């Protein structure tokens, strides 16, 4: 297996990263159950598979585009580097995109397909030429939108056939947690990003100040959920998410203490992924519990 051509591809698959596509689908589906007592297993599976395949396309094409700009030339686990074939990585990514589109098309909802296409365009514009919006400092906004409100609203509409304002509130919270993963990712890539003028928050502000401002990314999720519950858009049971505040404090403290040490601060990425996963799981369970424990 050590010499297998599949090994670089298997090594590039990080299950922790793909929670970013699984969690919003779970949240959106749970919201549909709480709001309208509906659940269609086939439509859930199509929506989940569609977003996971699109997510894989984004990851693979981002690997290609970052290789093109040079920012990943020192990245040992770059798939272009390990496979030795830029075109192969690009074509596999496009295959995944095609499968994702087929999944969304099978839902037979043209508004949903159009909305998903918006998310796919933003996913391309994140790193793809001529946009390269991540290099302009818009990475957190795009990732939080695509894997937050857009994904959650898509999952809810796939079940209910309608757009739901409460799902938007839940999606904003999920997007905040998604941005947390990307924000944590920037610290250990600071030197390469700065060299190639990738204007991430850490490059713009410097590691120390960016670490102090980490709360700017995390805090909105708690504020949004409190407002949504107060307004009656989400059940009070979603306040179980507040139990993750100690995890958030621990993550921010770790980054602040190690922001200038790439070899150590790389550990912030799994911490952020864990925070995203637990927060999303609690929000999903909170929505499901809302059907059993109404006020």
């Amino acid at each position: 297996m050590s010499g297998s051509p599949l090994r670089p591809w298997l090594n590039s698959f990080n299950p922790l990263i793909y929670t970013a596509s699984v969690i919003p689908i779970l949240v959106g589906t749970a919201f549909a159950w709480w709001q309208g007592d509906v659940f269609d297993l086939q439509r859930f599976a199509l929506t989940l598979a569609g977003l996971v395949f699109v997510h894989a396309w984004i990851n693979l094409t981002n690997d290609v585009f970052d290789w093109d700009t040079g920012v990943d030339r020192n990245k040992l686990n770059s798939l272009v580097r390990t496979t030795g074939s830029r075109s192969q990585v690009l074509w596999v990514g496009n295959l995944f995109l095609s499968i994702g589109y087929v999944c969304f098309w099978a839902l037979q909802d043209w508004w949903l397909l159009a909305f998903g296409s918006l998310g796919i365009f933003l996913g391309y514009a994140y790193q793809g030429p001529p946009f390269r919006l991540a290099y302009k400092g818009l990475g957190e906004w795009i990732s939080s939108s695509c894997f937050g409100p857009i994904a959650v609203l898509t999952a809810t509409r796939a079940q209910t056939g309608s757009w739901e304002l409460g799902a938007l509130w839940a999606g904003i919270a999920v997007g905040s947690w998604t941005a947390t993963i990307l924000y944590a990712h920037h610290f250990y890539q600071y030197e390469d990003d700065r060299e190639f003028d990738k204007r991430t928050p850490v490059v713009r502000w410097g590691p120390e100040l960016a670490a102090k401002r980490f709360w700017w990314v995390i805090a909105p999720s708690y504020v949004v959920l409190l407002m949504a519950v107060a307004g009656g858009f989400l059940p009070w049971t979603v306040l179980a998410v507040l139990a993750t505040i100690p995890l958030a404090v621990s993550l921010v403290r770790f980054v602040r203490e190690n922001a200038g040490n790439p070899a150590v601060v790389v550990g912030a990425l799994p911490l952020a992924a864990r925070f995203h996963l637990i927060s999303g799981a609690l929000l999903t369970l909170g929505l499901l519990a809302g059907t059993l424990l109404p006020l």
Side-chain angles (χ1 to χ4, degrees):
M1 185 67 177
S2 60
S4 170
L6 293 177
R7 175 165 287 277
W9 298 92
L10 295 174
N11 289 343
S12 71
F13 179 77
N14 185 348
L16 284 175
I17 299 301
Y18 285 88
T19 60
S21 50
V22 173
I23 287 297
I25 301 303
L26 293 178
V27 169
T29 304
F31 179 87
W33 178 262
W34 171 71
Q35 180 78 5
D37 196 25
V38 293
F39 175 70
D40 185 308
L41 179 59
Q42 182 179 11
R43 295 179 71 79
F44 167 75
L46 285 170
T47 309
L48 178 60
L51 186 57
V52 169
F53 276 111
V54 169
H55 190 179
W57 163 74
I58 290 174
N59 285 347
L60 293 180
T61 52
N62 283 350
D63 195 293
V64 170
F65 298 141
D66 272 346
W67 181 265
D68 290 344
T69 62
V71 73
D72 269 4
R73 295 303 171 105
N74 296 321
K75 187 178 178 182
L76 296 180
N77 63 344
S78 163
L79 196 53
V80 175
R81 174 195 288 274
T82 54
T83 62
S85 176
R86 175 189 182 280
S87 62
Q88 185 181 68
V89 175
L90 187 60
W91 279 107
V92 171
N94 289 336
L95 173 62
F96 287 160
L97 174 62
S98 299
I99 296 173
Y101 249 118
V102 169
C103 291
F104 289 127
W105 175 83
L107 293 169
Q108 294 294 294
D109 183 330
W110 297 110
W111 281 108
L112 202 56
L113 189 62
F115 194 58
S117 296
L118 170 63
I120 289 171
F121 169 74
L122 290 174
Y124 174 82
Y126 176 82
Q127 296 281 53
F131 308 100
R132 301 196 189 280
L133 297 182
Y135 285 76
K136 297 176 173 62
L138 298 176
E140 276 72 20
W141 291 103
I142 293 175
S143 64
S144 64
S145 298
C146 291
F147 295 99
I150 291 177
V152 173
L153 284 166
T154 296
T156 299
R157 183 179 174 91
Q159 296 292 325
T160 65
S162 61
W163 304 112
E164 303 290 346
L165 184 56
L168 175 62
W169 285 93
I172 293 172
V174 174
S176 173
W177 303 327
T178 304
T180 298
I181 299 176
L182 182 60
Y183 198 93
H185 182 265
H186 293 320
F187 285 92
Y188 77 93
Q189 290 197 308
Y190 166 66
E191 293 295 342
D192 287 338
D193 288 344
R194 184 177 63 171
E195 180 180 353
F196 290 93
D197 199 30
K198 188 174 182 179
R199 304 294 294 170
T200 69
V202 181
V203 170
R204 294 201 313 273
W205 299 328
E208 287 73 22
L209 182 56
K212 292 178 181 178
R213 292 177 173 174
F214 206 157
W215 278 113
W216 292 12
V217 181
I218 298 173
S221 63
Y222 299 114
V223 175
V224 162
L225 290 177
L226 287 169
M227 292 174 62
V229 170
F233 297 106
L234 294 174
W236 68 271
T237 46
V238 303
L239 296 180
V241 173
L242 297 178
T244 64
I245 290 177
L247 291 178
V249 172
S250 178
L251 171 61
V252 173
R253 182 182 295 121
F254 176 83
V255 171
R256 292 185 66 169
E257 292 174 352
N258 301 287
N261 188 343
V264 177
V265 79
V266 66
L269 185 56
L271 292 178
R274 182 185 67 170
F275 170 69
H276 174 278
L277 175 62
I278 295 175
S279 298
L282 286 176
L283 179 53
T284 300
L285 293 174
L287 286 165
L288 295 176
T291 63
L292 303 173
L293 302 170
L295 283 178

